[in-house]
Amino acid sequence: MTRRSWAEPYKIKVVEPIRITTREERVAAARQAGYNTFLMRSEDVYIDLLTDSGTSAMSDYQWAGLMIGDEAYAGSKSFYNLVAAVRDVYGYEELVPTHQGRGAEHILSQILIEDGDYVPGNMYFTTTRFHQEHAGGTFVDVIIDEAHDPTSLHPFKGNVDLDKLQRLIDDVGADKIPYISVETNVNMAGGQPLSMANLRATYEICRRHGILVMLDATRALENAWFIQQRETGYHDKSVAEIMLEICSYSDGATVSSKKDNLVNIGGFLALRDPELARQARALLVAFEGLHTYGGMSGRDMEALARGIREMVATDDHVHARVGQVEYLGNALIKAGVPIIRPVGGHGVFLDAKAILPHIPHDQFPAQALTAALYIESGVRGMERGVVSAGRDKETGDHHYPKLELVRLAIPRRVYTQAHMDVTAESVIELLEHPESVTGLRFTYEPESLRFFQARFEPIA
Ligand SMILES: *Cc1c(COP(=O)(O)O)cnc(C)c1O
C-alpha cells in the first residue's frame, strides 16, 4: 500500500480545554503585558506558539513511568534506565544528568575552556554562548553565510563553513581551541539542519588538529529527519540509524531534553572519554546534584528515558512533528506570506520587515507584529529581531540584525491540524490590512536579555 499523507501516530486520551477570548479581553491583556508576549498569562492565550521548549505532550507510557520513577538519592533504577537509553539512541557511554540543557553547557564549558580560548560554533545559542564566555572563551561564528540570508533555499543552512573553521585554526592555533560546538538543526537560524557530509568533514578537520567536537544535540532528531529527506544515501536509513551516525562524528554532546526528548524538564551531558566524564561529575555535585540524578527527580529520569526511546521507535513521530510545521509553513507560502524558507524543524518564522515596511526598524516591526497577531487572534508567538538582539556594549545603539522575525514555534504532539489552519488564517487576515499595525517604543528596557521582560507602548 502506498502512503498518501501522514497523520499523527497517536490518538488523544486526555485533553486540556483552552478558551477563545474576546478581542476586548485581548486588547486589555496586551496592554497589561506591555505588548510583550513573554509577560502574558497563558490563560489569556488561545493557541500558544511561544516556544517548543518543555511544552511537549507526554505519552501514556511516559506518564506511567512517573509512577514507577525510583526516587533513591543514589543509584536510582531510573538513572540506569536513562543511561541505557542514551547509550542505545545516541551511542555515548558516559552520561552526566543535569536539570536542563544550560546545566550541561555550564559543566562542559567549565571543564574544557580556559581563559583566552576560542570556541567556534555554527551560529550561537543564547545560553551556550553565555557559558562559553562565562568560562573565559570567545565564541566565533563559523556557520555558512547562507544561514543569515532569509531568501536562500540552501537545504543545509546549518552547515559549518569549513574555510572559516580552518582560518580560525590558522589564526589562533589549535591549542587555543578546546572544542567546536556543532549545533544540530540550528535554532537561531530557524531550525535549519546540517548535512552528514559536512559534519563528517568538520570532525576530520578537528581530529587532525586535536580539537574535540561537541554536539549541541538538542534537536538531533529533527536534523536526522532532514538528512533522511534531503541527503543522498540516507533515504533508506531509519532516523534511529542516522541519529547514531550523527553522534559518531563527535566526542560528546549537550542536550536540552525539553525539545526532541518529549519531556517538560531535563537535560544531560554525554561523553565518550571516561576521564572527561570524571571531571564533569566532580563539578556536577557542586552545581547540579549527585552524579546519578543531576538536577532531575527519579520520575523525571524515567519519563525522559522513555521519551528518548519513543522519539526514534518509528520514523512516524518525527515525520508528523516536522510535517505539522511544514503544513503551517506551506499554508502561509501558498497565501503569499513572506516566511523564512526552507521551512525549519520547529517553527515558522514570519518576515516582519517585509510584512510591515511602513514601520521603521527602531520601532520594532517584529515586536509590533507579534502583539498585533495576539490581539487579532489569541495566537501567541515571539519576537526574534532587534529587541532580542539587544544593544551594542560600546556604542549603546541597537543591534540591527538582518533577520527581523516573528517566530511561531510548534509544541510537539499538542495541537492539531485544525489549530494550524486557524493560525494560518489569523496571519493571512492580519496581512490584509498591515497598515493598521503601528510601531512601538519602550516604556521599560532591561539591561540584558531585554526581550524577556521589556515593556512597550504603541506610537500613536
Ligand atoms: C533550548 C536550547 C538550549 C538550552 O536548553 P535549556 O534546557 O533551555 O537550558 C540549548 N541549545 C539549544 C539548541 C536549545 O534549543
Side-chain angles (χ1 to χ4, degrees), residues 51-54 98-105 124-128 131 183-188 216-219 254-259 264-267 346 407 412:
T51 175
D52 69 329
S53 177
T98 58
H99 76 288
Q100 57 187 84
R102 66 199 70 183
E105 292 163 356
Y124 73 99
F125 187 74
T126 49
T127 56
T128 319
H131 282 298
E183 188 180 329
T184 51
N185 237 50
V186 181
N187 190 340
M188 300 293 277
D216 181 338
T218 295
R219 298 167 188 280
T254 56
V255 170
S256 165
S257 295
K258 302 174 74 171
K259 325 288 168 65
N264 305 116
I265 194 76
H346 66 290
R407 184 180 86 171
R412 296 165 187 78

mmCIF file of all heavy atoms in Angstrom, residues 51-54 98-105 124-128 131 183-188 216-219 254-259 264-267 346 407 412, ligand 1:
data_model
loop_
_atom_site.group_PDB
_atom_site.id
_atom_site.type_symbol
_atom_site.label_atom_id
_atom_site.label_comp_id
_atom_site.label_asym_id
_atom_site.label_seq_id
_atom_site.Cartn_x
_atom_site.Cartn_y
_atom_site.Cartn_z
ATOM 1 N N THR A 51 6.907 28.911 22.374
ATOM 2 C CA THR A 51 8.120 28.093 22.317
ATOM 3 C C THR A 51 7.758 26.616 22.223
ATOM 4 O O THR A 51 6.651 26.209 22.602
ATOM 5 C CB THR A 51 8.993 28.326 23.568
ATOM 6 O OG1 THR A 51 10.116 27.431 23.526
ATOM 7 C CG2 THR A 51 8.226 28.094 24.856
ATOM 8 N N ASP A 52 8.705 25.831 21.723
ATOM 9 C CA ASP A 52 8.549 24.373 21.723
ATOM 10 C C ASP A 52 9.423 23.753 22.813
ATOM 11 O O ASP A 52 9.700 22.576 22.789
ATOM 12 C CB ASP A 52 8.918 23.793 20.351
ATOM 13 C CG ASP A 52 10.411 23.912 20.068
ATOM 14 O OD1 ASP A 52 11.040 24.862 20.557
ATOM 15 O OD2 ASP A 52 10.952 23.039 19.353
ATOM 16 N N SER A 53 9.835 24.584 23.782
ATOM 17 C CA SER A 53 10.741 24.112 24.838
ATOM 18 C C SER A 53 9.956 23.714 26.073
ATOM 19 O O SER A 53 9.344 24.569 26.726
ATOM 20 C CB SER A 53 11.728 25.222 25.186
ATOM 21 O OG SER A 53 12.548 24.805 26.249
ATOM 22 N N GLY A 54 9.980 22.429 26.394
ATOM 23 C CA GLY A 54 9.297 21.954 27.602
ATOM 24 C C GLY A 54 7.786 21.958 27.481
ATOM 25 O O GLY A 54 7.081 21.823 28.469
ATOM 26 N N THR A 98 21.633 16.472 34.031
ATOM 27 C CA THR A 98 21.556 17.862 34.502
ATOM 28 C C THR A 98 20.101 18.314 34.558
ATOM 29 O O THR A 98 19.221 17.620 34.041
ATOM 30 C CB THR A 98 22.336 18.814 33.574
ATOM 31 O OG1 THR A 98 21.805 18.714 32.249
ATOM 32 C CG2 THR A 98 23.826 18.453 33.540
ATOM 33 N N HIS A 99 19.865 19.499 35.159
ATOM 34 C CA HIS A 99 18.459 19.923 35.309
ATOM 35 C C HIS A 99 17.832 20.332 33.985
ATOM 36 O O HIS A 99 16.644 20.178 33.765
ATOM 37 C CB HIS A 99 18.318 21.026 36.359
ATOM 38 C CG HIS A 99 18.757 22.384 35.909
ATOM 39 N ND1 HIS A 99 20.076 22.721 35.716
ATOM 40 C CD2 HIS A 99 18.053 23.493 35.608
ATOM 41 C CE1 HIS A 99 20.155 23.983 35.320
ATOM 42 N NE2 HIS A 99 18.945 24.478 35.242
ATOM 43 N N GLN A 100 18.630 20.912 33.077
ATOM 44 C CA GLN A 100 18.191 21.150 31.695
ATOM 45 C C GLN A 100 19.426 21.431 30.861
ATOM 46 O O GLN A 100 20.549 21.250 31.337
ATOM 47 C CB GLN A 100 17.119 22.238 31.599
ATOM 48 C CG GLN A 100 17.484 23.597 32.170
ATOM 49 C CD GLN A 100 16.277 24.542 32.157
ATOM 50 O OE1 GLN A 100 15.462 24.523 33.063
ATOM 51 N NE2 GLN A 100 16.158 25.372 31.137
ATOM 52 N N GLY A 101 19.261 21.853 29.608
ATOM 53 C CA GLY A 101 20.399 21.974 28.705
ATOM 54 C C GLY A 101 21.501 22.890 29.215
ATOM 55 O O GLY A 101 22.689 22.577 29.128
ATOM 56 N N ARG A 102 21.119 24.045 29.759
ATOM 57 C CA ARG A 102 22.134 25.016 30.174
ATOM 58 C C ARG A 102 23.003 24.492 31.313
ATOM 59 O O ARG A 102 24.150 24.912 31.452
ATOM 60 C CB ARG A 102 21.475 26.356 30.510
ATOM 61 C CG ARG A 102 20.580 26.352 31.696
ATOM 62 C CD ARG A 102 19.650 27.549 31.683
ATOM 63 N NE ARG A 102 18.643 27.450 30.617
ATOM 64 C CZ ARG A 102 17.737 28.384 30.347
ATOM 65 N NH1 ARG A 102 17.707 29.498 31.033
ATOM 66 N NH2 ARG A 102 16.854 28.216 29.379
ATOM 67 N N GLY A 103 22.479 23.579 32.113
ATOM 68 C CA GLY A 103 23.284 22.951 33.165
ATOM 69 C C GLY A 103 24.422 22.146 32.539
ATOM 70 O O GLY A 103 25.566 22.179 33.016
ATOM 71 N N ALA A 104 24.124 21.426 31.469
ATOM 72 C CA ALA A 104 25.133 20.647 30.760
ATOM 73 C C ALA A 104 26.158 21.568 30.098
ATOM 74 O O ALA A 104 27.369 21.301 30.116
ATOM 75 C CB ALA A 104 24.454 19.757 29.713
ATOM 76 N N GLU A 105 25.682 22.674 29.522
ATOM 77 C CA GLU A 105 26.584 23.638 28.870
ATOM 78 C C GLU A 105 27.538 24.250 29.898
ATOM 79 O O GLU A 105 28.720 24.458 29.616
ATOM 80 C CB GLU A 105 25.759 24.755 28.213
ATOM 81 C CG GLU A 105 24.944 24.259 27.033
ATOM 82 C CD GLU A 105 23.836 25.234 26.640
ATOM 83 O OE1 GLU A 105 23.647 26.268 27.319
ATOM 84 O OE2 GLU A 105 23.153 24.949 25.640
ATOM 85 N N TYR A 124 25.184 30.838 17.130
ATOM 86 C CA TYR A 124 25.236 30.693 18.580
ATOM 87 C C TYR A 124 23.851 30.347 19.104
ATOM 88 O O TYR A 124 22.842 30.592 18.455
ATOM 89 C CB TYR A 124 25.707 31.992 19.214
ATOM 90 C CG TYR A 124 24.669 33.088 19.191
ATOM 91 C CD1 TYR A 124 23.889 33.360 20.311
ATOM 92 C CD2 TYR A 124 24.426 33.834 18.036
ATOM 93 C CE1 TYR A 124 22.914 34.346 20.275
ATOM 94 C CE2 TYR A 124 23.461 34.818 18.004
ATOM 95 C CZ TYR A 124 22.708 35.071 19.128
ATOM 96 O OH TYR A 124 21.733 36.029 19.100
ATOM 97 N N PHE A 125 23.806 29.768 20.284
ATOM 98 C CA PHE A 125 22.556 29.761 21.031
ATOM 99 C C PHE A 125 22.804 30.568 22.298
ATOM 100 O O PHE A 125 23.902 30.540 22.854
ATOM 101 C CB PHE A 125 22.078 28.347 21.351
ATOM 102 C CG PHE A 125 20.714 28.364 21.981
ATOM 103 C CD1 PHE A 125 19.594 28.625 21.203
ATOM 104 C CD2 PHE A 125 20.551 28.197 23.335
ATOM 105 C CE1 PHE A 125 18.341 28.708 21.783
ATOM 106 C CE2 PHE A 125 19.296 28.280 23.919
ATOM 107 C CZ PHE A 125 18.184 28.529 23.143
ATOM 108 N N THR A 126 21.787 31.299 22.760
ATOM 109 C CA THR A 126 21.968 32.281 23.839
ATOM 110 C C THR A 126 22.693 31.696 25.064
ATOM 111 O O THR A 126 23.727 32.216 25.488
ATOM 112 C CB THR A 126 20.599 32.836 24.271
ATOM 113 O OG1 THR A 126 19.715 31.725 24.486
ATOM 114 C CG2 THR A 126 20.013 33.732 23.208
ATOM 115 N N THR A 127 22.175 30.588 25.605
ATOM 116 C CA THR A 127 22.765 30.053 26.849
ATOM 117 C C THR A 127 24.112 29.383 26.581
ATOM 118 O O THR A 127 25.019 29.472 27.409
ATOM 119 C CB THR A 127 21.809 29.033 27.511
ATOM 120 O OG1 THR A 127 21.491 28.004 26.565
ATOM 121 C CG2 THR A 127 20.527 29.697 27.968
ATOM 122 N N THR A 128 24.255 28.735 25.429
ATOM 123 C CA THR A 128 25.514 28.069 25.080
ATOM 124 C C THR A 128 26.637 29.083 25.047
ATOM 125 O O THR A 128 27.699 28.900 25.649
ATOM 126 C CB THR A 128 25.390 27.406 23.691
ATOM 127 O OG1 THR A 128 24.114 26.789 23.568
ATOM 128 C CG2 THR A 128 26.478 26.373 23.482
ATOM 129 N N HIS A 131 27.647 30.546 28.519
ATOM 130 C CA HIS A 131 28.518 29.704 29.345
ATOM 131 C C HIS A 131 29.934 29.626 28.789
ATOM 132 O O HIS A 131 30.896 29.550 29.559
ATOM 133 C CB HIS A 131 27.907 28.316 29.524
ATOM 134 C CG HIS A 131 26.810 28.314 30.545
ATOM 135 N ND1 HIS A 131 27.046 28.637 31.851
ATOM 136 C CD2 HIS A 131 25.482 28.087 30.442
ATOM 137 C CE1 HIS A 131 25.897 28.584 32.528
ATOM 138 N NE2 HIS A 131 24.937 28.267 31.695
ATOM 139 N N GLU A 183 25.959 22.630 16.464
ATOM 140 C CA GLU A 183 24.545 22.511 16.813
ATOM 141 C C GLU A 183 23.795 21.805 15.695
ATOM 142 O O GLU A 183 23.949 22.148 14.523
ATOM 143 C CB GLU A 183 23.962 23.915 17.044
ATOM 144 C CG GLU A 183 22.549 23.903 17.600
ATOM 145 C CD GLU A 183 22.003 25.310 17.815
ATOM 146 O OE1 GLU A 183 22.796 26.230 18.115
ATOM 147 O OE2 GLU A 183 20.787 25.493 17.663
ATOM 148 N N THR A 184 22.996 20.818 16.067
ATOM 149 C CA THR A 184 22.141 20.147 15.090
ATOM 150 C C THR A 184 20.852 20.945 14.955
ATOM 151 O O THR A 184 20.341 21.485 15.937
ATOM 152 C CB THR A 184 21.821 18.719 15.566
ATOM 153 O OG1 THR A 184 21.338 18.771 16.909
ATOM 154 C CG2 THR A 184 23.045 17.836 15.509
ATOM 155 N N ASN A 185 20.333 21.015 13.746
ATOM 156 C CA ASN A 185 19.126 21.791 13.454
ATOM 157 C C ASN A 185 19.125 23.152 14.161
ATOM 158 O O ASN A 185 18.410 23.359 15.134
ATOM 159 C CB ASN A 185 17.873 21.001 13.817
ATOM 160 C CG ASN A 185 16.982 20.872 12.611
ATOM 161 O OD1 ASN A 185 17.475 20.486 11.557
ATOM 162 N ND2 ASN A 185 15.740 21.230 12.716
ATOM 163 N N VAL A 186 19.940 24.040 13.613
ATOM 164 C CA VAL A 186 20.317 25.278 14.288
ATOM 165 C C VAL A 186 19.097 26.156 14.615
ATOM 166 O O VAL A 186 18.410 26.669 13.727
ATOM 167 C CB VAL A 186 21.321 26.059 13.415
ATOM 168 C CG1 VAL A 186 21.751 27.335 14.119
ATOM 169 C CG2 VAL A 186 22.528 25.187 13.098
ATOM 170 N N ASN A 187 18.877 26.308 15.900
ATOM 171 C CA ASN A 187 17.720 27.007 16.438
ATOM 172 C C ASN A 187 17.634 28.442 15.924
ATOM 173 O O ASN A 187 16.629 28.852 15.322
ATOM 174 C CB ASN A 187 17.823 26.977 17.971
ATOM 175 C CG ASN A 187 16.565 27.463 18.672
ATOM 176 O OD1 ASN A 187 15.745 28.152 18.091
ATOM 177 N ND2 ASN A 187 16.418 27.115 19.928
ATOM 178 N N MET A 188 18.708 29.232 16.146
ATOM 179 C CA MET A 188 18.664 30.662 15.827
ATOM 180 C C MET A 188 18.645 30.917 14.315
ATOM 181 O O MET A 188 18.363 32.028 13.885
ATOM 182 C CB MET A 188 19.844 31.396 16.466
ATOM 183 C CG MET A 188 19.884 31.285 17.986
ATOM 184 S SD MET A 188 18.536 32.121 18.838
ATOM 185 C CE MET A 188 19.157 33.799 18.874
ATOM 186 N N ASP A 216 25.788 20.197 20.116
ATOM 187 C CA ASP A 216 24.568 20.563 20.820
ATOM 188 C C ASP A 216 23.502 19.722 20.119
ATOM 189 O O ASP A 216 22.991 20.089 19.054
ATOM 190 C CB ASP A 216 24.268 22.058 20.700
ATOM 191 C CG ASP A 216 22.996 22.434 21.462
ATOM 192 O OD1 ASP A 216 22.164 21.532 21.704
ATOM 193 O OD2 ASP A 216 22.817 23.614 21.798
ATOM 194 N N ALA A 217 23.243 18.541 20.704
ATOM 195 C CA ALA A 217 22.366 17.562 20.047
ATOM 196 C C ALA A 217 20.909 17.726 20.463
ATOM 197 O O ALA A 217 20.110 16.806 20.325
ATOM 198 C CB ALA A 217 22.848 16.145 20.350
ATOM 199 N N THR A 218 20.571 18.924 20.961
ATOM 200 C CA THR A 218 19.212 19.194 21.433
ATOM 201 C C THR A 218 18.157 18.864 20.381
ATOM 202 O O THR A 218 17.096 18.349 20.693
ATOM 203 C CB THR A 218 19.112 20.688 21.836
ATOM 204 O OG1 THR A 218 19.987 20.901 22.948
ATOM 205 C CG2 THR A 218 17.716 21.070 22.216
ATOM 206 N N ARG A 219 18.466 19.141 19.107
ATOM 207 C CA ARG A 219 17.497 18.919 18.033
ATOM 208 C C ARG A 219 18.045 17.950 16.989
ATOM 209 O O ARG A 219 17.779 18.085 15.788
ATOM 210 C CB ARG A 219 17.126 20.263 17.386
ATOM 211 C CG ARG A 219 16.469 21.218 18.371
ATOM 212 C CD ARG A 219 16.387 22.642 17.855
ATOM 213 N NE ARG A 219 15.929 23.545 18.897
ATOM 214 C CZ ARG A 219 14.651 23.694 19.252
ATOM 215 N NH1 ARG A 219 13.720 23.019 18.635
ATOM 216 N NH2 ARG A 219 14.328 24.520 20.226
ATOM 217 N N THR A 254 25.885 18.060 24.456
ATOM 218 C CA THR A 254 24.967 18.603 25.443
ATOM 219 C C THR A 254 23.564 18.514 24.844
ATOM 220 O O THR A 254 23.386 18.681 23.636
ATOM 221 C CB THR A 254 25.276 20.080 25.786
ATOM 222 O OG1 THR A 254 25.266 20.848 24.572
ATOM 223 C CG2 THR A 254 26.635 20.221 26.447
ATOM 224 N N VAL A 255 22.591 18.234 25.701
ATOM 225 C CA VAL A 255 21.214 18.086 25.214
ATOM 226 C C VAL A 255 20.255 18.762 26.196
ATOM 227 O O VAL A 255 20.346 18.542 27.406
ATOM 228 C CB VAL A 255 20.832 16.595 25.057
ATOM 229 C CG1 VAL A 255 19.334 16.436 24.800
ATOM 230 C CG2 VAL A 255 21.625 15.942 23.927
ATOM 231 N N SER A 256 19.374 19.591 25.656
ATOM 232 C CA SER A 256 18.211 20.045 26.410
ATOM 233 C C SER A 256 17.090 19.072 26.108
ATOM 234 O O SER A 256 16.600 19.007 24.980
ATOM 235 C CB SER A 256 17.801 21.458 25.984
ATOM 236 O OG SER A 256 16.490 21.726 26.468
ATOM 237 N N SER A 257 16.658 18.325 27.097
ATOM 238 C CA SER A 257 15.629 17.298 26.869
ATOM 239 C C SER A 257 14.236 17.895 26.710
ATOM 240 O O SER A 257 13.268 17.180 26.464
ATOM 241 C CB SER A 257 15.652 16.289 28.015
ATOM 242 O OG SER A 257 16.881 15.608 28.002
ATOM 243 N N LYS A 258 14.138 19.235 26.841
ATOM 244 C CA LYS A 258 12.846 19.901 26.707
ATOM 245 C C LYS A 258 12.399 20.008 25.249
ATOM 246 O O LYS A 258 11.322 20.514 24.965
ATOM 247 C CB LYS A 258 12.939 21.301 27.323
ATOM 248 C CG LYS A 258 13.363 21.257 28.792
ATOM 249 C CD LYS A 258 13.594 22.638 29.371
ATOM 250 C CE LYS A 258 12.265 23.349 29.600
ATOM 251 N NZ LYS A 258 12.462 24.619 30.367
ATOM 252 N N LYS A 259 13.219 19.551 24.319
ATOM 253 C CA LYS A 259 12.892 19.650 22.885
ATOM 254 C C LYS A 259 12.611 18.237 22.343
ATOM 255 O O LYS A 259 11.578 17.688 22.648
ATOM 256 C CB LYS A 259 14.014 20.353 22.131
ATOM 257 C CG LYS A 259 14.715 21.474 22.901
ATOM 258 C CD LYS A 259 13.890 22.738 23.080
ATOM 259 C CE LYS A 259 14.488 23.708 24.089
ATOM 260 N NZ LYS A 259 15.762 24.303 23.784
ATOM 261 N N ASN A 264 9.051 17.633 29.829
ATOM 262 C CA ASN A 264 8.855 19.040 30.159
ATOM 263 C C ASN A 264 10.057 19.666 30.857
ATOM 264 O O ASN A 264 10.169 20.889 30.934
ATOM 265 C CB ASN A 264 7.595 19.198 31.018
ATOM 266 C CG ASN A 264 6.375 18.586 30.335
ATOM 267 O OD1 ASN A 264 5.789 17.630 30.824
ATOM 268 N ND2 ASN A 264 6.015 19.102 29.172
ATOM 269 N N ILE A 265 10.958 18.838 31.370
ATOM 270 C CA ILE A 265 12.169 19.361 32.013
ATOM 271 C C ILE A 265 13.257 18.284 31.962
ATOM 272 O O ILE A 265 12.932 17.102 31.945
ATOM 273 C CB ILE A 265 11.871 19.801 33.475
ATOM 274 C CG1 ILE A 265 13.003 20.652 34.059
ATOM 275 C CG2 ILE A 265 11.589 18.613 34.369
ATOM 276 C CD1 ILE A 265 13.047 22.082 33.556
ATOM 277 N N GLY A 266 14.510 18.707 31.954
ATOM 278 C CA GLY A 266 15.618 17.738 31.992
ATOM 279 C C GLY A 266 16.662 18.034 30.936
ATOM 280 O O GLY A 266 16.471 18.885 30.058
ATOM 281 N N GLY A 267 17.797 17.345 31.047
ATOM 282 C CA GLY A 267 18.874 17.503 30.081
ATOM 283 C C GLY A 267 20.040 16.635 30.480
ATOM 284 O O GLY A 267 20.004 15.979 31.523
ATOM 285 N N HIS A 346 11.220 23.330 13.739
ATOM 286 C CA HIS A 346 10.432 23.514 14.955
ATOM 287 C C HIS A 346 9.489 24.707 14.929
ATOM 288 O O HIS A 346 8.762 24.929 15.894
ATOM 289 C CB HIS A 346 11.342 23.610 16.183
ATOM 290 C CG HIS A 346 12.225 24.821 16.231
ATOM 291 N ND1 HIS A 346 13.285 25.014 15.380
ATOM 292 C CD2 HIS A 346 12.209 25.904 17.044
ATOM 293 C CE1 HIS A 346 13.885 26.159 15.676
ATOM 294 N NE2 HIS A 346 13.251 26.719 16.673
ATOM 295 N N ARG A 407 8.529 34.463 15.483
ATOM 296 C CA ARG A 407 8.615 33.004 15.495
ATOM 297 C C ARG A 407 7.322 32.397 16.013
ATOM 298 O O ARG A 407 6.828 32.773 17.076
ATOM 299 C CB ARG A 407 9.766 32.550 16.397
ATOM 300 C CG ARG A 407 9.935 31.038 16.362
ATOM 301 C CD ARG A 407 11.055 30.568 17.245
ATOM 302 N NE ARG A 407 10.600 30.375 18.619
ATOM 303 C CZ ARG A 407 11.331 29.805 19.574
ATOM 304 N NH1 ARG A 407 12.569 29.411 19.303
ATOM 305 N NH2 ARG A 407 10.855 29.656 20.795
ATOM 306 N N ARG A 412 5.358 19.881 20.521
ATOM 307 C CA ARG A 412 5.230 18.524 19.965
ATOM 308 C C ARG A 412 3.996 17.811 20.508
ATOM 309 O O ARG A 412 3.793 17.752 21.719
ATOM 310 C CB ARG A 412 6.476 17.701 20.313
ATOM 311 C CG ARG A 412 7.740 18.246 19.670
ATOM 312 C CD ARG A 412 8.985 17.674 20.306
ATOM 313 N NE ARG A 412 10.164 18.354 19.779
ATOM 314 C CZ ARG A 412 10.576 19.567 20.150
ATOM 315 N NH1 ARG A 412 9.913 20.236 21.075
ATOM 316 N NH2 ARG A 412 11.627 20.122 19.602
HETATM 317 C C1 LIG B 1 16.766 25.190 24.429
HETATM 318 C C2 LIG B 1 18.124 25.043 23.914
HETATM 319 C C3 LIG B 1 19.237 25.088 24.755
HETATM 320 C C4 LIG B 1 19.133 25.380 26.240
HETATM 321 O O1 LIG B 1 18.480 24.393 26.931
HETATM 322 P P1 LIG B 1 17.578 24.675 28.229
HETATM 323 O O2 LIG B 1 17.007 23.324 28.538
HETATM 324 O O3 LIG B 1 16.557 25.692 27.888
HETATM 325 O O4 LIG B 1 18.505 25.111 29.302
HETATM 326 C C5 LIG B 1 20.478 24.906 24.194
HETATM 327 N N1 LIG B 1 20.647 24.712 22.876
HETATM 328 C C6 LIG B 1 19.601 24.671 22.039
HETATM 329 C C7 LIG B 1 19.820 24.452 20.586
HETATM 330 C C8 LIG B 1 18.311 24.840 22.513
HETATM 331 O O5 LIG B 1 17.275 24.819 21.655
#
